[in-house]
Amino acid sequence: SSGINAEYGDVKIGDDDLERVIMKLYDDVTPRTAANFRTLCTGEQKTKELNLHYLNSIFHRVIVDFMIQGGDITRMDGTGGYSIYGPQFDDENFEKIHDRPFLLSMANRGANTNSSQFFITTAPAPHLDGKHVVFGEVVRGQSAIREIERTQCQEDKPVVSCWVAGCGILDSLPEPVEDEIYADYPKDCTLDISKATKVLEAAQMMKDIGNRLFKNQEWSRAKHKYLKAIRYLENDGYESDNECRALLTTCQLNLAQCLNTLSQYKEAMRYCNKVLDKDPNSVKSLFRRAKAKEGLQEYDQAVADYKAALALGEDKGVRAALSRAEHMNKRQRTKDRQAYARMFK
């Protein structure tokens, strides 16, 4: 397949940025279908009447272990779509088959009804061979596809909008940098991660990049690196050891801090609890869980966690946080009392 250029999509779930998705189209096998997709990425044929552009379109249909579907540029619900050749165009050929995840294929309503709608496989889908035209593949940012695949859905439609915030063409496919040599999900990884030493090396790199992003206040990107490291450390294709378990705890704690900074307090608590299940005397976990509880305005519970942390050793930072939480707790109780008093006048 041609390596001249690559198409990209910057996808978000709500306001949360996902990894950039970079795709390579099979120009040599399906030139007409590839040209349609590429032109819809650039929006160069957009007119006042016809929004021939994937920008701001959504993934309206998501099925785990099958595919994510998008590209309805006219109705956004799967009933619309339009191609650069007119409302519909013919199936180009069925040379490429649906034999693995991360393939780009055209959605249709039967033979020769291609428009702008497409799907990306998340598993092999042989039952679609000979019916849908495979015209490209995702070469980077597979994690974004997996994140969308795992987003909460109601009747196959994402509850929080998964949308294209940017799309277009890159002159060339950027070389993989740093941890990009490892697929975002261990099950998609082509490198050897069958031994603890290999997993440790990979996860350590991901954690270090996460720390660097965290220091640069790029919280959302840092979060995804910590999550990636955790996926590798928790994957069951290798025999874990003490070093891997220690690194897992570090990543869970760093992630909790990151989630607190992003005001994702419930998720932060979840990761603190994972650490506390293994080590009830983890001061960092107690401290970060208390912070999350403050964020959720559960001040009495925050106070309890700060006190538990202090019982394990005196610390100025914890002491200051405790008195702040006690102050907020008192204020909230006074407010609650006043509210009750008004109810019973």
Side-chain angles (χ1 to χ4, degrees):
S1 52
S2 151
I4 302 164
N5 56 26
E7 287 58 43
Y8 73 87
D10 292 323
V11 186
K12 292 185 170 211
I13 298 183
D15 292 327
D16 201 10
D17 293 307
L18 303 183
E19 202 93 5
R20 169 168 278 190
V21 178
I22 300 178
M23 297 152 284
K24 189 170 66 176
L25 306 186
Y26 302 147
D27 288 287
D28 48 350
V29 181
T30 51
R32 236 174 108 72
T33 311
N36 179 60
F37 187 83
R38 180 174 296 115
T39 307
L40 290 165
C41 281
T42 63
E44 63 201 66
Q45 285 192 26
K46 193 172 149 174
T47 64
K48 269 203 185 101
E49 295 74 45
L50 269 179
N51 178 38
L52 292 171
H53 202 183
Y54 284 136
L55 187 68
N56 296 324
S57 66
I58 62 168
F59 286 91
H60 62 271
R61 185 166 172 245
V62 171
I63 299 172
V64 175
D65 292 330
F66 179 27
M67 56 99 222
I68 68 171
Q69 185 175 336
D72 182 349
I73 54 178
T74 58
R75 293 197 177 145
M76 304 281 186
D77 61 3
T79 63
Y82 213 92
S83 84
I84 63 168
Y85 310 117
Q88 295 177 337
F89 67 103
D90 286 358
D91 296 321
E92 195 162 4
N93 62 57
F94 302 113
E95 273 182 49
K96 295 277 190 183
I97 58 169
H98 304 78
D99 58 353
R100 56 200 161 93
F102 309 120
L103 294 171
L104 280 162
S105 185
M106 292 302 288
N108 62 40
R109 290 190 194 84
N112 303 317
T113 59
N114 300 289
S115 62
S116 52
Q117 285 195 53
F118 64 91
F119 61 92
I120 300 171
T121 59
T122 61
H127 61 291
L128 302 182
D129 295 346
K131 293 183 188 143
H132 295 263
V133 178
V134 177
F135 64 93
E137 65 186 86
V138 175
V139 290
R140 289 264 210 300
Q142 289 93 341
S143 75
I145 310 304
R146 292 280 182 220
E147 296 265 335
I148 293 169
E149 182 190 24
R150 284 167 172 72
T151 193
Q152 195 195 341
C153 289
Q154 234 169 352
E155 290 173 354
D156 300 335
K157 186 181 167 143
V159 174
V160 177
S161 185
C162 302
W163 58 289
V164 179
C167 50
I169 296 184
L170 302 170
D171 293 336
S172 60
L173 184 60
E175 283 299 308
V177 293
E178 298 182 313
D179 71 310
E180 285 175 356
I181 58 170
Y182 298 101
D184 293 294
Y185 279 73
K187 70 172 177 181
D188 304 318
C189 186
T190 52
L191 300 174
D192 176 22
I193 49 164
S194 62
K195 295 179 189 69
T197 50
K198 299 281 188 192
V199 174
L200 194 67
E201 185 186 344
Q204 187 70 49
M205 183 195 272
M206 295 161 199
K207 187 211 78 170
D208 291 344
I209 296 165
N211 288 358
R212 192 175 71 218
L213 291 164
F214 188 89
K215 283 197 181 84
N216 292 341
Q217 305 192 349
E218 295 183 58
W219 321 120
S220 194
R221 288 182 64 206
K223 169 181 130 175
H224 287 297
K225 293 298 177 197
Y226 294 138
L227 281 167
K228 183 176 176 183
I230 289 167
R231 284 196 291 272
Y232 271 74
L233 290 161
E234 285 185 335
N235 108 76
D236 46 19
Y238 79 109
E239 204 62 54
S240 186
D241 63 13
N242 286 339
E243 271 187 282
C244 289
R245 283 188 282 272
L247 183 59
L248 175 61
T249 297
T250 302
C251 290
Q252 288 169 328
L253 284 168
N254 290 8
L255 177 58
Q257 175 137 344
C258 205
L259 291 163
N260 272 339
T261 312
L262 287 162
S263 307
Q264 294 172 5
Y265 302 118
K266 284 195 168 132
E267 276 296 282
M269 275 176 62
R270 208 159 69 78
Y271 284 97
C272 290
N273 288 337
K274 281 176 189 264
V275 176
L276 287 163
D277 285 347
K278 298 180 278 190
D279 174 14
N281 293 338
S282 166
V283 172
K284 274 186 181 171
S285 287
L286 288 165
F287 186 77
R288 285 169 196 179
R289 188 172 72 177
K291 281 248 182 261
K293 286 174 174 175
E294 276 191 81
L296 295 166
Q297 299 185 342
E298 295 171 359
Y299 298 114
D300 51 341
Q301 290 184 35
V303 166
D305 272 351
Y306 284 133
K307 282 183 173 167
L310 275 176
L312 294 164
E314 188 51 53
D315 181 286
K316 267 205 283 221
V318 180
R319 180 69 61 193
L322 170 63
S323 70
R324 186 185 63 236
E326 284 180 327
H327 173 69
M328 294 305 288
N329 194 28
K330 221 157 119 183
R331 267 179 56 180
Q332 194 180 41
R333 296 215 339 240
T334 309
K335 247 171 132 172
D336 290 348
R337 271 204 303 275
Q338 288 166 346
Y340 285 132
R342 277 198 295 276
M343 277 167 66
F344 294 107
K345 265 186 179 169

